[in-house]
Amino acid sequence: MIAFTIKRLLQTVPTLLLVAVMVFTMIRLVPGDPAVVLVGDINDPVILEEVRAQMGLDESMVEQFRLWFVKVIDGDLGVSLMNGEEVLPALLQRFAVTAQVVLLSMMFAVAIALPTGLLAASRHGSATDTGIVFLLVLSLSIPSFWAGILLMLVFGVKLGWLPTIGYVSVVENVAAGIQYLILPVIALLLGEMATVTRMMRSTMLEVLGFDYITHARAKGLKESTVLWRHAFPNAFAPTLTVLGLILASLLGGAAVIETVFTLPGLGRFLVDGIYARDYPVVQGALLLVAFIYVIANLVVDLLYPIFDPRVRL
Amino acid sequence: MSNQDKPLLDVRDLTVAFGAGESESQPVRSVSLSLGRSEVLGVVGESGSGKTMISKSIMRLLPSGGRIASGSVWLDGTDLTTLDAESIRRVRGARIGMIFQEPMMSLNPAMRIGEQMVEAFVADRRLTPAQRQTAMLEMLERVRMPDPDACLRAYPHEFSGGMRQRIMLATALLMRPELLIADEPTTALDVLIQKDVLDLMIELVRDLGTSVMLISHDLGLVARYADRVCVMCDGKVVETGDVATILSSPSEQYTKELLQSLPARDRGRQSTDEIDTNKPVMKVIDLHVEFGRRRLLPWLKSRIVRAVDGVDFSLRRGETLAVVGESGSGKTTLGRALLRLVETTAGSVEFDGDEISSRSARQLRNLRSRMQIVYQDPFSSLDPRMRVEQIVAEGLRLSSLTGADRANRVRETLHDVGLSPEMARRYPHELSGGQRQRVSIARAIAMRPDVIVTDEAVSALDVTVQARVLTLLQTLQERYGFSYLFITHDIGVVDQVADRVLVMYRGRVVESGNKAEVLDTPRHPYTCRLLEAVPRLEKTTDGGFRHSNMRFDPPPPPDGYLHDENFLDINANAGVLVHVTETHQVAYTEAGERAASLG
Amino acid sequence: MTVVSNPAAVYTTTAMPNRRLGEFLLAIILITALAGSLYTPHDPLALDYESRLLPPSSAHLMGTDQFGRDVLSRTMAAAGTSVIVSFFSVLVAVSFGLLLGSIAGYAGGWTDRLVGLFLDAFMAFPGILLALGIMTIIGPHMYGIVLALGFAYMPNVARIVRSTVLSIREKEYVEASKALGNSEAFTVVRHVIPQCISPLTVIATAIFGGAVLSESALSFLGLGVPPPHPTWGGMLADARQYMSIAPWLSIFPGVAITIALLGVNLFGDALRDRFDPRLAR
């Protein structure tokens, strides 16, 4: 178990390193003088020289990467060109908003998906199943940003029940904070809920075909016991892996949703950074998102043996 | 009439149907059978005979889409087909227990053994948790599980297939059901373990007075354990009766055919003298194959598996050398290593006087057409996207034959293996299992190789199909003079086709010799146990069959040697192969060495 | 022996009506895309300040936008943009993914591990953010977004191809091909690559849907196909300001995206059912 944990931890190191290389290279691939690119539209030769020296542009590429990477490890992601903020604290502050939306969506998506998938699989081939399957495809086919717009149109503009744009921190005002989160969370969870349900349904169908399910029935167990006690845990483990992978699309989707509802989140920050050609922010945001993704999947893999004892090493 | 005289289980006129209208199929048609108290009934049939569907309909556990179309199933005066869901649930487990074929998938991998076993008490709320615990431990002890306490806390994957099947047996018998349905309970197990599990099962049910429905494709196995047998074919009962009668004087044509299909020696080749003098086409010296890799870091244990561990033998022109062993004996790896389909670690393979184990890939390719292989699984050994003629012609691409000659060769080869010309345009999925195996053989013989390795080539086939394919292989050998390295776990098949036999255990040869020497006068303790474990039917003088329980006691070893009793110990030194006759070799321990290791 | 029920039969039966609907919707989108490039009721780019923000009427079936452009014509023209961008994105993703995946799967060993590491790192970026990053380098061009989406989806293809190649490589008929004396290269071309076609078709369909979605999302963010090219995402982005006075602007492009995605997804599910029942979701 400990060996497995250490091995899995060590596996993330090269991945994270490569992620850093990719982010670093990405900015270097932007056509033109990296210093000019980094400084952006500020037309000041003094700053330009300063940045050049800072980036060590006379050094080799490898050396430049080393200098940059040492700083990144140290938590120094540079300074935003938009407003001179330190990038890392700014990112973390924005991430707090994104995390709320993403985690809430995921929680509700899973809470709806698991029983729905189980229901569909246990009634496989019935009208209930076919209906659920169709609704899932439909909700996969509605882009989250359009779902957001429709929700705004109905609950914000027409009915006036909920605020359409803006953000109030839950810490400052719980009731208002929640009000601002409801619509973005719903818009974001539709697609993910469908993905998880489909995964749950198909794994359940596979599990229900195994002999140990027939064996459980042959012992005279109730159908509900067979489903929840025997089939569900076995179907849940593979579904868990999908949750880790879904995080990527949730974080990506958040960038768009945050733009729709003008939430001050990480995605919105990144998009603004791209508009403003604020490369330290773009670099930092991409790095942070990838880091979160890798760590989340590490956690999923480490949790996996709890649900599937065969993986216990 | 007292209750005791009536049969426990009475299946009357049972028909099971899937689908409806035009696509309706009936895997079970008007089947009637009965099973008395404390009786063991064997249900025998080939694949698709409907025998499994009967057991599933008794339990009312038919797969989705299936239904009982007509008939009734009486268990001690109750018609199970009319019970509502709740009532049938009370019958399952409590009155009818069930064991499945695949021990790897019949226990829930995510639950501890104890958690699964305790569920058997679902219908019985009288016992306290402590009493349940005691009952489970007692039952695990009766199926001879070492350390029942630890067993309850363990997960299924921690046990071997044989152990899991014992756990299944313990779970099924926990509630002392009146009837136990065992559906191919040991088909996935090696023969020695198969005997252990079945002996145990029969001992237990005799003790508890449980009736058993033993479903199997293996007539020999049923003959060994059942009181009565019911032969099925195509969803119908062909013949029912007590075992001895059915074996000695079967009345139905199908039963006769089934018995005739059993591999038997008298259909094998008579004389092997001529072959003995032929020079070897293939010679293997001290062959080693290791898998896994050595770790570079000293504190990590290298995971090396010695699949083949010092094997010597030679294969003569036109002979059939059978390599026998259980799973993990290294027999499959040995066959692959001969053709250099896996790399050898040490030792040499000589083909027709040429050393080939050090040949480059390019040089090897020219030799490949002279050594061919036929695989076990007729599904995965043929490319699903190619037509039969393309598959057979593939090896001819590299030959010197011209286009027209190639087409002729394909036609001729298909004819040789008994496939009609219209089969040439078909795809593998349009063929039956037996036909596919014929295509596989055709691909191997199209280039007229010298040596053909057959790796469990008939193991996946039903017994009647198997008999025909074995005959085909022998006919082809007579016509073209192939040498076969015949890899199999089935002693009956060996008895029919082999000239010489090589018995392998954990990568080593424990005994080798002419067929009669090894099969009739085995000398190694492992060979003896193996031969005793195989249920065998022997022909009687009047043309019928009877079941024979063989006992083999290894004769005393030659002077200076001891029996190789420590072959089970993987860490022990290999025995040395000693010639007991000119052709018969047996692994023994040298007396001095045993004394040294003990002293 | 157990009677094996045919899993393919079980899965496909339920998909039948859905598959028909999928084919129907997909046909609508493809025909609209084709028709939209040849004929639209009005010029999708023509400004007409006289008729700004008109609600749907017989002259303008879907109304007009803030510049008086006909929404129906723009929605039709956008279909063409979306289909072309998505098609070429799939082409890029499949070409590079097939190359990388088959090399990794067949070579194995260190090559496989390196490629795997590279794919892991690639997949750590949400597809749309990766596309955003690539767009930053290339700039907002039509071919820029094709490359960006193509590379963002490439790892998915590479993974599927790799695992397919790995499983095919273990098949006995591949070993049999070697035993017949065929070279490695011949074996791969003859026996391994053809088996990848079914999973590739399935994943290509899925990616097509993903590309339609991502293209509209990128355009919605203003980082996709540059204006004045009409795109569904761009139209929705413009519509937000007029949400309360001209809600139809927010409805029709969204309906178009949903129809397109529904068609692709249903069709893709049917394909998956057909080619690999075990993957059916």
Side-chain angles (χ1 to χ4, degrees), chain B residues 295-316:
Chain B
R295 302 297 186 91
L296 296 171
L297 304 174
W299 64 87
L300 293 172
K301 231 163 75 189
S302 298
R303 285 186 195 149
I304 302 284
V305 178
R306 294 199 188 94
V308 177
D309 193 9
V311 169
D312 300 79
F313 69 87
S314 55
L315 178 65
R316 302 189 189 99

Side-chain angles (χ1 to χ4, degrees), chain A residues 11 14-15 18-19 22-23 26-27 29-31 124-125 129-130 133-134 137-138 140-146 149-150 152-153 157-158 198-199 201-202 205-206 247-249 251-253 255-256 259-262 268 270-271 274-275 277 279 282 286-287 289-290 293-294, chain C residues 2 10-11 14 17-18 21 114 117-130 132-134 136-138 159 213 216-218 220-223 232-233 236-237 240 243-244 247 250-255 257-259 261-263 265-266 269 272 278-281:
Chain A
Q11 273 174 0
T15 314
L18 198 61
V19 161
M22 283 170 67
V23 169
M26 204 177 265
I27 300 303
L29 282 177
V30 175
H124 183 234
D129 182 33
T130 316
V133 168
F134 182 77
V137 184
L138 186 65
L140 266 184
S141 304
I142 299 175
S144 62
F145 58 93
W146 188 53
I149 290 173
L150 286 184
M152 271 164 80
L153 205 57
V157 178
K158 293 280 179 232
R198 278 154 65 98
M199 182 68 193
R201 176 178 170 274
S202 65
L205 281 178
E206 201 185 327
L247 192 68
S249 64
L251 286 170
V256 189
T259 305
V260 175
F261 292 95
T262 53
R268 178 77 218 156
L270 173 67
V271 173
I274 293 175
Y275 286 139
R277 315 201 106 216
Y279 294 104
V282 176
L286 285 177
L287 214 51
V289 168
Y293 177 82
V294 172
Chain C
T2 41
V10 175
Y11 285 102
T14 54
N18 286 349
L21 182 61
L114 272 176
L117 186 64
F118 179 68
L119 294 180
D120 275 349
F122 237 79
M123 288 188 103
F125 301 99
I128 188 157
L129 297 192
L130 190 66
L132 278 178
I134 299 173
T136 332
I137 304 171
I138 305 172
R159 288 200 158 195
L213 181 62
S216 63
L218 285 177
F220 178 78
L221 292 176
L223 295 163
W232 293 328
L236 284 176
R240 284 187 339 173
M243 191 183 281
S244 44
S250 296
I251 303 288
F252 295 115
V255 172
I257 304 176
T258 304
I259 289 178
L261 287 177
L262 195 58
N265 286 337
L266 287 173
D269 284 357
R272 208 191 316 232
R278 276 163 305 143
L279 283 176
R281 292 205 170 137

Side-chain angles (χ1 to χ4, degrees), chain B residues 168 428 471 593:
Chain B
M168 284 291 290
T471 313
E593 191 180 315

Side-chain angles (χ1 to χ4, degrees), chain C residues 28 33 48 55 69 89 101 139 164 167 225 241 262 268 272:
Chain C
I28 288 186
D48 180 3
R69 296 175 295 197
S89 304
T164 311
S167 73
V225 180
Q241 296 172 33
L262 195 58
R272 208 191 316 232

Side-chain angles (χ1 to χ4, degrees), chain B residues 106-171:
Chain B
S106 50
L107 287 165
N108 189 335
M111 285 168 76
R112 290 173 201 277
I113 303 292
E115 294 170 325
Q116 302 191 48
M117 278 188 81
V118 81
E119 287 178 341
F121 293 105
V122 66
D124 189 345
R125 305 196 183 282
R126 285 166 305 172
L127 296 180
T128 64
Q131 286 170 316
R132 290 177 178 189
Q133 184 81 4
T134 319
M136 288 194 291
L137 289 174
E138 189 207 312
M139 196 47 97
L140 284 175
E141 216 148 281
R142 292 188 76 163
V143 298
R144 302 201 200 106
M145 284 299 290
D147 199 354
D149 261 314
C151 173
L152 289 180
R153 286 190 305 271
Y155 285 98
H157 71 273
E158 296 169 45
F159 296 99
S160 65
M163 289 293 172
R164 286 189 213 192
Q165 218 52 329
R166 288 178 193 211
I167 294 170
M168 284 291 290
L169 183 63
T171 313

Side-chain angles (χ1 to χ4, degrees), chain A residues 68-116:
Chain A
W68 175 78
F69 190 66
V70 167
K71 278 191 186 169
V72 168
I73 297 242
D74 211 28
D76 177 7
L77 292 175
V79 172
S80 162
L81 303 177
M82 290 188 281
N83 50 16
E85 269 183 291
E86 283 246 15
V87 171
L88 185 64
L91 283 176
L92 291 178
Q93 192 198 336
R94 308 291 209 290
F95 177 65
V97 178
T98 305
Q100 288 174 30
V101 180
V102 166
L103 286 178
L104 283 173
S105 306
M106 197 176 255
M107 267 169 48
F108 284 110
V110 172
I112 301 168
L114 298 186
T116 316

Side-chain angles (χ1 to χ4, degrees), chain B residues 165-362:
Chain B
Q165 218 52 329
R166 288 178 193 211
I167 294 170
M168 284 291 290
L169 183 63
T171 313
L173 292 179
L174 206 50
M175 292 296 288
R176 312 286 152 101
E178 296 137 85
L179 172 64
L180 177 70
I181 300 178
D183 188 355
E184 301 271 7
T186 54
T187 306
L189 304 176
D190 273 326
V191 58
L192 288 178
I193 299 162
Q194 168 173 323
K195 182 168 188 289
D196 281 355
V197 171
L198 284 178
D199 283 354
L200 189 65
M201 180 179 100
I202 295 300
E203 185 190 317
L204 266 173
V205 296
R206 298 271 187 234
D207 204 26
L208 299 171
T210 316
S211 306
V212 178
M213 184 181 219
L214 176 62
I215 299 170
S216 177
H217 68 284
D218 186 341
L219 197 52
L221 182 127
V222 166
R224 179 184 270 175
Y225 296 104
D227 305 315
R228 283 196 310 133
V229 62
C230 163
V231 181
M232 288 198 65
C233 176
D234 261 348
K236 286 182 182 152
V237 172
V238 175
E239 193 166 358
T240 314
D242 59 74
V243 172
T245 318
I246 296 252
L247 291 184
S248 61
S249 50
S251 51
E252 296 297 321
Q253 185 53 39
Y254 177 74
T255 318
K256 287 178 191 162
E257 197 189 327
L258 206 58
L259 282 163
Q260 289 304 330
S261 298
L262 292 171
R265 181 168 308 177
D266 56 352
R267 267 181 291 133
R269 203 180 341 216
Q270 302 301 316
S271 153
T272 57
D273 297 347
E274 189 195 321
I275 294 162
D276 276 353
T277 58
N278 282 353
K279 75 174 171 93
V281 62
M282 203 158 220
K283 208 169 153 109
V284 174
I285 301 160
D286 199 27
L287 191 70
H288 290 259
V289 181
E290 291 178 357
F291 292 122
R293 60 198 164 95
R294 293 185 196 282
R295 302 297 186 91
L296 296 171
L297 304 174
W299 64 87
L300 293 172
K301 231 163 75 189
S302 298
R303 285 186 195 149
I304 302 284
V305 178
R306 294 199 188 94
V308 177
D309 193 9
V311 169
D312 300 79
F313 69 87
S314 55
L315 178 65
R316 302 189 189 99
R317 274 193 197 284
E319 83 165 338
T320 301
L321 173 62
V323 179
V324 188
E326 297 180 284
S327 51
S329 63
K331 57 188 194 301
T332 293
T333 311
L334 177 68
R336 301 280 206 283
L338 289 193
L339 307 188
R340 275 278 299 279
L341 291 170
V342 297
E343 290 303 315
T344 55
T345 314
S348 80
V349 177
E350 271 177 31
F351 179 76
D352 210 10
D354 280 346
E355 156 71 46
I356 61 163
S357 42
S358 54
R359 287 289 183 89
S360 74
R362 184 172 290 275

Side-chain angles (χ1 to χ4, degrees), chain B residues 4 52 131 150 182 219 227 266 290 392 479 484 527 535 583 592:
Chain B
Q4 292 300 312
T52 292
Q131 286 170 316
L219 197 52
D227 305 315
D266 56 352
E290 291 178 357
V392 177
R479 191 177 306 157
Y484 288 132
T527 317
T583 48

